[in-house]
Amino acid sequence: MYDIIIIGCGTAGMTAAIYARRSGKSVLLLEAESIGGQVAVTPKVENFPGFGEISGSELADKLLDHATSLGADIELEKVTSIKKLGDRHFSVTGEYNSYECKAVIIASGAKPRHINVEGEDELVGNGVSYCAVCDGAFFKNEDVALIGDANTALIYTLQLSSLCRKVYLLTLFDRFFGEQELVDAVKQKSNVEIHHNLALTKFIKDGDSLAGLEMLNKESGDIETYAVKGCFISIGQVPDNKAFADIVNLDEKGYIIADESCCTSTEGIFVAGDCRTKKIRQLTTAASDGAIAALAANSYIDRVVRPVV
Ligand SMILES: Cc1cc2nc3c(=O)[nH]c(=O)nc-3n(C[C@H](O)[C@H](O)[C@H](O)COP(=O)(O)OP(=O)(O)OC[C@H]3O[C@@H](n4cnc5c(N)ncnc54)[C@H](O)[C@@H]3O)c2cc1C
């Protein structure tokens, strides 16, 4: 039995592992997809204190080295449920195995929001992507579109502009919502064409692959066509906490309800990072939550679980 199982190997989960190990607790990290979470697909981080500028993958590697060098175990496993085992323990079940522990920290982060236009799911891998860092290179010297208007969309546009022949930056509203510095950098790129105030009406296909986009110009009412082989969608994040809905309370958007204490509605289950209710979802707040959740889990085990075992 582990003292603490942490679900999600992103910034929040790995920070929680560092704090939990340094408190002397045994720790298992369970990761569904790839170690690092969102930071691993961030080209450049410039606001993580102490680093000035660092690539996201390097920061993810450093977090991983730190957590594992302190003795945290890691398994690649998507968690599908958490159940209570009596009053004081939990069983955490994944696709392959079940594990037992005294406390759980959910750090399952967030995933890209889908645009929900017909054909989207079938085109993923055939032209539609949510990650320019992961898939941009597949469209080298091609024309692509980026749908979005905030920081991630702007970062992805810059990334794509250095790989692709042309990038159509298509926004859903009449302005950008990202940092001015990024907006200025995008506007300086000669191969980026910006079009505002659009709505995606159709993915145009050639066989199984993407061939273009039909967009409604909300101002003129015209349908505009963009011939692109790649379409990157960057319209925000959504949590994926369905597996935990029967054990902790979620809000109407699916975030796990918790305040700065990182305690959930269930004693012994804590939450950290982008998957919880909060206003600011950033690396620093994910790391902060990881520390708070781990120390809360540590104190819960010492105070509540140990005396009765
Ligand atoms: C392109 C991009 C650029 C960004 N740039 C910056 C920036 O410059 N500065 C900044 O401060 N923030 C930035 N952010 C935001 C920042 O990356 C996130 O706020 C932060 O990484 C959240 O960390 P997290 O650990 O909460 O979640 P995540 O990083 O999302 O990690 C959650 C992990 O949990 C795993 N998981 C989910 N469900 C399960 C399950 N059921 N079982 C097992 N594992 C599961 C996921 O696979 C994932 O690895 C950026 C985000 C993106 C997408």
Side-chain angles (χ1 to χ4, degrees), residues 46-209:
E46 292 179 324
N47 58 1
F48 200 79
F51 283 100
E53 182 184 311
I54 185 169
S55 80
S57 60
E58 199 185 339
L59 184 53
D61 286 347
K62 282 183 185 294
L63 285 165
L64 178 65
D65 282 351
H66 198 166
T68 52
S69 68
L70 289 169
D73 291 340
I74 299 186
E75 296 288 343
L76 277 180
E77 176 114 63
K78 183 180 169 87
V79 172
T80 52
S81 74
I82 306 171
K83 299 265 182 271
K84 277 189 172 178
L85 280 181
D87 277 351
R88 297 282 179 250
H89 298 144
F90 296 95
S91 161
V92 176
T93 301
E95 287 168 313
Y96 312 112
N97 295 298
S98 280
Y99 309 86
E100 293 180 6
C101 62
K102 297 169 187 166
V104 180
I105 297 173
I106 304 174
S108 55
K111 294 194 174 320
R113 183 189 298 279
H114 286 209
I115 203 159
N116 293 327
V117 169
E118 200 186 329
E120 180 177 14
D121 290 346
E122 298 90 83
L123 283 165
V124 172
N126 282 318
V128 169
S129 169
Y130 305 90
C131 176
V133 177
C134 321
D135 299 332
F138 294 127
F139 301 95
K140 201 160 185 235
N141 300 324
E142 303 281 3
D143 293 352
V144 298
L146 185 303
I147 301 178
D149 41 36
N151 279 346
T152 301
L154 294 162
I155 291 167
Y156 280 174
T157 301
L158 290 172
Q159 170 99 6
L160 291 168
S161 72
S162 61
L163 287 168
C164 303
R165 192 172 62 169
K166 181 168 218 165
V167 185
Y168 295 102
L169 175 53
L170 311 173
T171 79
L172 303 181
F173 298 96
D174 59 0
R175 74 196 85 130
F176 290 112
F177 296 92
E179 289 166 17
Q180 193 57 44
E181 203 179 304
L182 288 170
V183 174
D184 293 342
V186 161
K187 284 184 173 167
Q188 275 168 19
K189 295 286 174 188
S190 58
N191 64 339
V192 174
E193 205 176 292
I194 299 167
H195 297 262
H196 283 302
N197 224 2
L198 303 167
L200 178 66
T201 47
K202 190 178 170 185
F203 289 110
I204 302 165
K205 288 166 74 173
D206 178 8
D208 289 338
S209 300

Side-chain angles (χ1 to χ4, degrees), residues 14 21 35 39 51 72 81 146 158 163 169 179 204 210 214 216 223 232 247 262 308:
M14 290 196 281
R21 284 300 299 143
I35 308 287
V39 71
F51 283 100
S81 74
L146 185 303
L158 290 172
L163 287 168
L169 175 53
E179 289 166 17
I204 302 165
L210 184 74
E214 256 183 35
L216 169 72
I223 293 287
F232 292 83
I247 190 107
C262 295
V308 298

Side-chain angles (χ1 to χ4, degrees), residues 7-13 30-34 36-39 41-42 44-47 77-79 107-111 152 155-156 237 244 272-275 281-284 286:
I7 301 169
C9 214
T11 302
L30 295 173
E31 170 54 47
E33 290 173 16
S34 51
Q38 293 172 63
V39 71
V41 298
T42 301
K44 197 165 59 169
V45 174
E46 292 179 324
N47 58 1
E77 176 114 63
K78 183 180 169 87
V79 172
S108 55
K111 294 194 174 320
T152 301
I155 291 167
Y156 280 174
Q237 305 283 106
F244 318 120
D274 280 13
C275 62
R281 294 191 172 83
Q282 287 279 282
L283 292 163
T284 47

